[in-house]
Amino acid sequence: ALPAESTAGPMASQKYGTDVSESKDAETPLQLGNMASPRQKSCDLVAFWLFGLLNNFGYVVFLSAAEKIYSGAAGAVLAADIVPTLIVKATAPLYMARIPYTTRVVVIVALAAAAYITVATASAVWLKLLGVCIGSLAAGAGEITFLALTSRFHPNVVSAWSSGTGAAGTLVLRVAQTRW
């Protein structure tokens, strides 16, 4: 097991009701995650699967609909969908730990909603591209947030997250076959 100092954080004491940093004998969040009831583990797995699905859905939609968003210049949409995520992932270690998880999730949901609304309602191409950029920021921040959050739960939630992100691609493919 990892030493308590490397896995403990401010969220550990809130979630588990103990300050892991006070005692070297205290259980780490990973060990406590393994002690969760089977029902709790199942709920966690379903939640992280949904987190992965919802986080990547917009990202995949914008990639798949690039030609419809900006006819003749799909490359601009692809760049708008990839570059902001890369920037978030490259810079997040500088600031992300200072932002509480609840705040992160609220901002991510607001950004994703703004992205969908902007791309769906805008008539100007630059506004559509801005919407794609906003969605990319939400997806990048969501990935960092939820993958970091997996360290506080049973190890299998990472697999559930990954499966959910893959399901986003499958769901978008199915929607594209029936609607576009």
Side-chain angles (χ1 to χ4, degrees):
L2 297 171
E5 296 83 35
S6 65
T7 58
M11 294 296 292
S13 60
Q14 292 172 5
K15 179 170 173 70
Y16 301 111
T18 177
D19 187 358
V20 181
S21 62
E22 286 182 10
S23 169
K24 293 190 183 219
D25 297 329
E27 297 178 47
T28 65
L30 182 61
Q31 291 167 332
L32 288 167
N34 286 331
M35 295 185 330
S37 71
R39 184 172 190 277
Q40 183 61 49
K41 285 181 185 177
S42 296
C43 288
D44 292 347
L45 291 171
V46 169
F48 274 92
W49 187 85
L50 287 170
F51 292 157
L53 174 80
L54 295 173
N55 188 68
N56 277 32
F57 185 77
Y59 188 75
V60 176
V61 164
F62 295 148
L63 286 177
S64 300
E67 187 61 33
K68 291 199 180 268
I69 292 171
Y70 191 3
S71 184
V77 177
L78 299 179
D81 203 19
I82 294 169
V83 172
T85 292
L86 289 175
I87 292 169
V88 168
K89 290 177 184 179
T91 61
L94 302 174
Y95 56 85
M96 198 61 87
R98 295 183 209 131
I99 305 169
Y101 280 103
T102 304
T103 304
R104 292 188 212 181
V105 172
V106 168
V107 169
I108 290 163
V109 169
L111 286 172
Y116 295 141
I117 291 168
T118 303
V119 173
T121 61
S123 56
V125 173
W126 73 269
L127 273 174
K128 289 182 180 187
L129 290 176
L130 178 64
V132 172
C133 287
I134 292 168
S136 180
L137 291 172
E143 184 174 331
I144 289 169
T145 297
F146 289 113
L147 284 176
L149 194 58
T150 63
S151 68
R152 313 258 185 228
F153 293 88
H154 188 273
N156 289 347
V157 297
V158 175
S159 298
W161 163 270
S162 299
S163 177
T165 62
T170 304
L171 182 61
V172 168
L173 176 63
R174 182 67 184 135
V175 170
Q177 289 174 342
T178 60
R179 306 254 184 221
W180 294 339

